[in-house]
Amino acid sequence: MLIGVIAIVPTIAFSQKADSVYDASVSPPTFSEISYGDHHRQILDFWKAESNEPTPLVFVVHGGGWGGGEKERVHRFVDVQPLLDAGISIVAINYRLIRHAKEDGVEPPVKACLYDAARALQYVRSKASEWNINKDLIAAAGGSAGACTSLWLAFHPDLADPDSSDPVSRESTRVYCAGVKEPQTTLDPKQIREWIPNGKYGGHAFGKENFEEFLSDRESLLSLIAEYSPYSLVSADDPSIYMFYKNQPAIGQKVDNATHSSNYGVKLQERCVELGIDCEVQYPGAVGTTYQTQTDFLIGMLKKNKN
């Protein structure tokens, strides 16, 4: 066990260092390294769009399997300048990773990642007047694990505590819509294997060493899966969803990129259609889609209803 930990630390450290500078396509944030909590990972950056009216906002959660990544990856998940040009402000967040959750004794570990995102969203809403943000027009965005987090925010009941003495905790965690890239839409190992026979994602979210352990322990985890799996949380009052994938669906078949298979998106779309929720899945060869990218979707949704 100890040898395994030593072996992966250099890789993670290098990845974080490489990602700690914004891409050349991304303009400097209006505000950087703003703390929304006490942990060193609970920070965010904010880009303020020029507007005389409160602006919509895109709330970006980075990917990295909840085990790595930085807010500086924002360009991988949305096109920053087109959003700003459209009068849409942006926030990109860091959050505690799985290893930090284990250090803090959070069970299951994924709770730290998801609840940090919820807290960051509440913090942003608490700054609405100061930052010229329209609280009612906040969209979640992100990629991979960050996309899964964004869908969790979109589907989870509001975590606002109206009776809290903390003004941030009184703010809503609901979003107007979610436009995401390559999300894992379920954390149920049984569903994953039915949809993607070679799927192996998700055990780490619940502290499992490998997928087979995750699958064998599924019965004891059902209540947690119901709380943290986006698919389990979908209800008829949830917002519009857009998902972008790079591969075609092949339900029930082994696929080359099981972690980011569009099978996840197609199966969630089926459930959303059953519930009457607007849900679009874009992938090579998809027909009847309205938006080519998640940025197109975000602009279309947020600007259409701005006034």
Side-chain angles (χ1 to χ4, degrees):
M1 182 69 71
L2 182 57
I3 293 174
V5 172
I6 293 173
I8 63 171
V9 167
T11 300
I12 292 174
F14 176 81
S15 174
Q16 289 179 341
K17 183 177 180 181
D19 285 339
S20 63
V21 177
Y22 280 109
D23 185 78
S25 66
V26 179
S27 58
T30 308
F31 302 122
S32 299
E33 307 295 300
I34 303 298
S35 295
Y36 63 88
D38 295 331
H39 195 276
H40 72 272
R41 287 281 305 182
Q42 293 172 324
I43 56 175
L44 58 83
D45 290 353
F46 170 67
W47 290 259
K48 184 178 181 181
E50 292 299 323
S51 176
N52 293 325
E53 303 172 352
T55 69
L57 180 131
V58 171
F59 181 84
V60 184
V61 186
H62 71 72
W66 297 307
E70 303 289 331
K71 55 185 166 53
E72 285 80 7
R73 288 182 174 187
V74 64
H75 67 284
R76 302 187 185 189
F77 315 122
V78 297
D79 301 310
V80 171
Q81 198 57 50
L83 288 170
L84 293 173
D85 291 344
I88 299 170
S89 297
I90 303 164
V91 159
I93 73 165
N94 279 356
Y95 49 90
R96 284 174 296 171
L97 304 173
I98 293 292
R99 65 181 180 276
H100 303 123
K102 291 180 177 179
E103 291 169 359
D104 292 345
V106 180
E107 294 290 345
V110 75
K111 179 178 180 178
C113 312
L114 303 184
Y115 273 73
D116 277 9
R119 177 69 179 185
L121 179 57
Q122 290 176 303
Y123 179 85
V124 170
R125 276 203 165 96
S126 76
K127 292 289 188 179
S129 178
E130 182 180 342
W131 291 358
N132 197 36
I133 296 166
N134 184 337
K135 288 186 181 185
D136 296 328
L137 289 178
I138 297 180
S144 191
C148 184
T149 300
S150 294
L151 293 179
W152 180 84
L153 286 171
F155 299 149
H156 197 281
D158 202 338
L159 293 169
D161 179 1
D163 298 322
S164 175
S165 60
D166 173 18
V168 175
S169 296
R170 295 197 292 265
E171 297 288 349
S172 175
T173 59
R174 297 290 282 172
V175 296
Y176 180 75
C177 63
V180 296
K181 185 176 181 180
E182 300 180 315
Q184 299 84 28
T185 61
T186 183
L187 295 177
D188 182 339
K190 183 173 182 286
Q191 279 185 324
I192 291 172
R193 279 292 165 85
E194 289 173 351
W195 301 353
I196 312 165
N198 59 327
K200 296 181 179 181
Y201 192 86
H204 62 305
F206 300 96
K208 302 303 176 181
E209 294 296 323
N210 55 60
F211 193 85
E212 295 311 317
E213 181 185 358
F214 186 28
L215 190 59
S216 66
D217 291 349
R218 176 181 179 271
E219 290 299 315
S220 66
L221 296 170
L222 286 176
S223 63
L224 295 177
I225 290 169
E227 167 67 14
Y228 298 108
S229 176
Y231 187 94
S232 301
L233 292 167
V234 186
S235 59
D237 62 346
D238 287 330
S240 298
I241 302 300
Y242 175 94
M243 296 174 282
F244 176 93
Y245 292 90
K246 297 178 182 177
N247 49 63
Q248 293 182 322
I251 304 299
Q253 300 180 36
K254 291 184 177 181
V255 295
D256 289 337
N257 186 356
T259 300
H260 300 122
S261 170
S262 60
N263 290 4
Y264 280 116
V266 169
K267 295 304 289 186
L268 177 61
Q269 185 182 44
E270 290 178 1
R271 179 63 177 148
C272 287
V273 169
E274 290 175 3
L275 295 170
I277 299 168
D278 182 29
C279 178
E280 183 168 315
V281 184
Q282 179 65 272
Y283 54 82
V287 297
T289 55
T290 303
Y291 302 101
Q292 290 299 306
T293 70
Q294 57 271 38
T295 298
D296 293 338
F297 167 82
L298 294 165
I299 293 174
M301 290 295 295
L302 294 174
K303 294 300 292 185
K304 176 177 64 177
N305 294 286
K306 181 179 178 183
N307 296 317

